[in-house]
Amino acid sequence: MKKAFLNRYHSEIPLKEEKSNLFLEVSTAVSVFLFSIVLAAYFMMTSMVSSWNKSIIDGLTVQIMPSSEALTADEELLRLNKVISFFDERDGVEKVRVISNEQIKHIMSPWLGENANIENLPIPKLLDVKLKNGKTFDYQKVSSELKEVASYASIDNHGIWLQKLMKSAAALKMLSLFVLAVVLSALAFSLFYAVQTSLRVHQNIIEILHIMGATDNYVAKQYAKRGLWTGFISSVIGTILGFGVLIMISHLSSGLETGLIGSAKLSLWHWGTIALLPPMTAVLSMILSFLSVKQTLGKMM
Amino acid sequence: MEAHKNMLTEPIIDMYNVCIRYGKDPDVLKDIKLTLQKGSFHFLTGKSGAGKTSLLSMMYLALKPSAGTVMIFGSNIGYASRDAMAALRRRIGVVFQDFRLLEHLSAYDNVAIPLRIRGMGENEIKKRVKELLSWVELDKSMDKICSTLSGGEKQRVAIARAVINRPEILLADEPTGNVDNDIAVKLMKLFIELNKLGTTVVIATHSKELIAEYNYPQIHLENKGLKIIPALRRAQ
């Protein structure tokens, strides 16, 4: 029974003995290794951006610097209201809230102590601007418009800085997608080249099979089977190497203790996706081999 | 016998004004007209270079005519799709002069190829291949890799591979050239038996002894043309 099963997948074309197999295996393993690293980088950047985005998407903090001149309470209130109105009138703002002295005192307590009298200190007033769900600002634009209305107020530059970083990260994400496409194309090209070489080497055998009535599908299936196994075994090796490097990077970066990079972690879902590379490569390799053979045989006898 | 006679009125290969030319070289065969009836048996004769192999190549659908029309099993091969051509080829058995075996495979696997192409089950393949290889006295060599077989053994493997599918047309290029006389007689008996079962047989040969002994009609190629030399008497 077992022998019958094995014979069913018998191949007349000696593909296992081909010298080009090593080239195909190495190029597939290297491609999958690079792919796994770049894919992980893409995932890390996505989670970093998402974490940064989350920190600024909910709202922003506005500082109203104390005046260098002595102002009356009404004048202070006028300054404050001018900034509140600026944000209230903007589309996408849900709520503007003045952060109370008590809250500021609490925030400052690690530096000033619990009993500090902040009323006598030149501490800026803070506004918490909450944005509507899904709304975001062009921080640089809003910041410069605010300067025109109230030069003494400024948006907390943490958000602006993060947004600049996010733009760079988005560009890097695009770049990583491009690299993934390049790696994939290189893999497809090497597979196509290996199949073409093999078809030339075994042209005589393929002609005999054709004379005996083999269809192009019959021949292409033998290459597809080779593609499936070579793709799977090589990509398992590439993925294991990739996992090794990623675990090392993850271990090294855990010692950095930086808030920004700390958010660049791979979730279980990300690891799972990378682990799916071998079966996906195997199927891709099988399909590409099959189509490549079919396309070439169409021009033969 | 009556059934066999009826078959002989059913054309299986029809060629009209066929020319064969390779590239820009002059015609190898010109203006060929040939009709072979189902169940007929012919020798294909002619000097070396007369075009025997070219004509056979066209019959086993490895070559398309440069001009003219070839109908095989009623299909015009000029218009047949690749899959249709493959289906037609499965009905034809071919024995090549140079055997064209897959040298890296065993005798068993070579003979099994046409059945695997048809998608037959391995148990049935095993039964048929073993039976046929025993018949051509290769039962002890069936697991040997073909590259290790002698010329005569290779020829018997090639013949077994050609007939395993019980083809409707059997084309053989010098099939008895490399075997001893006893085996040659046995192989000719096999061809005759297949012919009695309805297989159309064309055997290309230089052997005057073979032609004289079996005395079937000849398709004789000469001066790029073709003529049919009728049999003088029926083979016993």
Side-chain angles (χ1 to χ4, degrees):
Chain A
M1 187 69 182
K2 192 179 169 192
K3 197 179 173 191
F5 177 79
L6 289 173
N7 277 339
R8 202 171 159 185
Y9 295 97
H10 188 93
S11 171
E12 285 88 17
I13 307 168
L15 298 173
K16 280 183 195 163
E17 291 83 29
E18 262 185 26
K19 285 178 185 169
S20 65
N21 277 350
L22 185 65
F23 161 76
L24 196 60
E25 283 157 9
V26 171
S27 62
T28 306
V30 170
S31 300
V32 172
F33 168 71
L34 291 174
F35 198 92
S36 65
I37 299 289
V38 180
L39 186 65
Y42 176 81
F43 285 150
M44 282 177 179
M45 270 185 284
T46 306
S47 62
M48 259 198 306
V49 169
S50 142
S51 144
W52 298 343
N53 202 29
K54 204 168 185 301
S55 75
I56 59 168
I57 203 155
D58 294 341
L60 52 103
T61 308
V62 180
Q63 292 186 71
I64 299 169
M65 301 307 288
S67 171
S68 53
E69 297 160 17
L71 297 176
T72 62
D74 283 348
E75 284 170 329
E76 288 275 11
L77 194 62
L78 193 69
R79 288 174 97 224
L80 188 64
N81 283 340
K82 212 169 173 184
V83 179
I84 292 172
S85 307
F86 173 82
F87 282 104
D88 264 342
E89 286 159 13
R90 291 200 84 84
D91 183 36
V93 172
E94 189 178 306
K95 195 169 138 191
V96 182
R97 184 175 67 90
V98 180
I99 296 176
S100 69
N101 279 351
E102 276 309 302
Q103 278 178 289
I104 294 175
K105 199 172 163 182
H106 179 69
I107 293 166
M108 303 294 279
S109 62
W111 294 275
L112 302 176
E114 289 294 334
N115 300 316
N117 186 3
I118 61 165
E119 279 81 11
N120 296 330
L121 293 173
I123 289 174
K125 287 251 177 240
L126 296 179
L127 291 183
D128 179 30
V129 180
K130 194 164 172 53
L131 302 178
K132 284 178 185 166
N133 254 354
K135 288 282 178 185
T136 186
F137 275 166
D138 180 341
Y139 282 76
Q140 280 177 304
K141 193 177 163 216
V142 174
S143 189
S144 61
E145 282 172 12
L146 180 64
K147 277 275 171 234
E148 283 171 24
V149 177
S151 61
Y152 48 86
S154 64
I155 295 176
D156 175 21
N157 60 4
H158 171 71
I160 298 170
W161 178 70
L162 265 185
Q163 203 169 46
K164 278 182 186 169
L165 209 59
M166 278 165 62
K167 277 185 182 168
S168 309
L172 279 174
K173 270 174 69 180
M174 291 304 291
L175 187 68
S176 58
L177 282 180
F178 174 73
V179 174
L180 287 177
V182 169
V183 172
L184 205 63
S185 309
L187 176 63
F189 177 77
S190 57
L191 196 71
F192 182 77
Y193 176 77
V195 166
Q196 296 302 304
T197 308
S198 172
L199 286 173
R200 271 195 291 275
V201 170
H202 300 302
Q203 189 172 356
N204 192 35
I205 292 173
I206 293 165
E207 267 181 26
I208 293 169
L209 291 176
H210 270 148
I211 287 168
M212 283 188 267
T215 57
D216 291 347
N217 277 1
Y218 183 87
V219 177
K221 275 178 191 168
Q222 301 196 8
Y223 278 89
K225 192 176 76 174
R226 193 263 299 254
L228 183 75
W229 284 109
T230 307
F232 186 73
I233 301 296
S234 312
S235 59
V236 163
I237 295 168
T239 307
I240 288 172
L241 290 175
F243 264 66
V245 170
L246 290 172
I247 289 167
M248 211 157 69
I249 290 172
S250 169
H251 179 69
L252 291 173
S253 68
S254 67
L256 289 175
E257 301 262 340
T258 53
L260 284 174
I261 300 179
S263 55
K265 281 181 179 162
L266 289 174
S267 66
L268 262 180
W269 184 85
H270 291 148
W271 285 108
T273 307
I274 295 169
L276 279 178
L277 282 179
M280 288 195 302
T281 309
V283 171
L284 183 76
S285 167
M286 180 184 76
I287 294 170
L288 281 176
S289 300
F290 185 85
L291 294 178
S292 173
V293 173
K294 282 274 285 181
Q295 192 249 349
T296 310
L297 289 184
K299 297 170 193 163
M300 284 177 77
M301 183 190 88
Chain B
M1 202 56 158
E2 194 58 37
H4 189 255
K5 273 182 185 172
N6 287 341
M7 277 183 225
L8 291 172
T9 57
E10 198 180 321
I12 203 159
I13 297 177
D14 256 336
M15 296 184 185
Y16 310 102
N17 307 322
V18 166
C19 295
I20 298 178
R21 183 187 313 129
Y22 296 98
K24 289 179 180 174
D25 292 343
D27 288 331
V28 177
L29 292 171
K30 202 173 175 183
D31 212 16
I32 297 291
K33 292 180 189 71
L34 175 67
T35 299
L36 294 183
Q37 306 296 339
K38 188 175 180 181
S40 62
F41 196 127
H42 288 83
F43 285 117
L44 178 60
T45 58
K47 288 178 183 167
S48 293
K52 296 193 293 291
T53 303
S54 296
L55 190 66
L56 280 180
S57 299
M58 203 158 57
M59 288 178 181
Y60 61 74
L61 307 174
L63 188 67
K64 285 192 176 177
S66 321
T69 305
V70 177
M71 306 280 287
I72 296 196
F73 302 117
S75 296
N76 185 336
I77 67 164
Y79 298 107
S81 67
R82 288 183 67 78
D83 282 348
M85 291 280 269
L88 293 177
R89 285 185 192 121
R90 286 197 285 276
R91 299 165 70 182
I92 303 169
V94 189
V95 183
F96 299 96
Q97 192 172 10
D98 56 355
F99 321 130
R100 298 192 76 177
L101 298 175
L102 304 192
E103 299 279 334
H104 61 286
L105 297 181
S106 66
Y108 176 94
D109 283 329
N110 264 281
V111 178
I113 294 170
L115 303 179
R116 286 191 174 127
I117 287 172
R118 277 178 58 178
M120 189 177 278
E122 283 299 323
N123 288 337
E124 180 65 18
I125 289 176
K126 196 173 173 181
K127 196 178 123 199
R128 281 213 203 176
V129 173
K130 280 190 169 176
E131 191 182 297
L132 188 55
L133 282 175
S134 301
W135 200 84
V136 292
E137 296 172 23
L138 280 173
D139 42 341
K140 285 177 187 156
S141 306
M142 67 171 76
D143 292 325
K144 281 188 185 171
I145 299 298
C146 277
S147 55
T148 64
L149 298 176
S150 69
E153 286 173 323
K154 283 182 182 179
Q155 188 137 24
R156 279 179 278 158
V157 173
I159 290 167
R161 187 181 67 179
V163 302
I164 188 89
N165 235 353
R166 293 168 195 163
E168 291 169 63
I169 300 175
L170 179 68
L171 307 168
D173 202 354
E174 298 284 359
T176 55
N178 281 290
V179 291
D180 61 43
N181 203 39
D182 289 347
I183 295 285
V185 169
K186 201 170 177 181
L187 292 177
M188 279 306 293
K189 273 187 181 166
L190 171 67
F191 295 151
I192 291 165
E193 285 308 313
L194 283 169
N195 176 246
K196 281 180 184 166
L197 292 171
T199 299
T200 305
V201 181
V202 178
I203 294 177
T205 185
H206 281 110
S207 169
K208 284 177 182 162
E209 293 80 19
L210 197 71
I211 297 163
E213 190 172 347
Y214 292 96
N215 195 29
Y216 283 109
Q218 293 173 52
I219 303 164
H220 186 73
L221 300 180
E222 203 172 50
N223 300 326
K224 300 180 184 178
L226 170 157
K227 64 178 176 184
I228 300 287
I229 304 173
L232 295 176
R233 58 179 171 80
R234 291 295 306 159
Q236 295 305 303

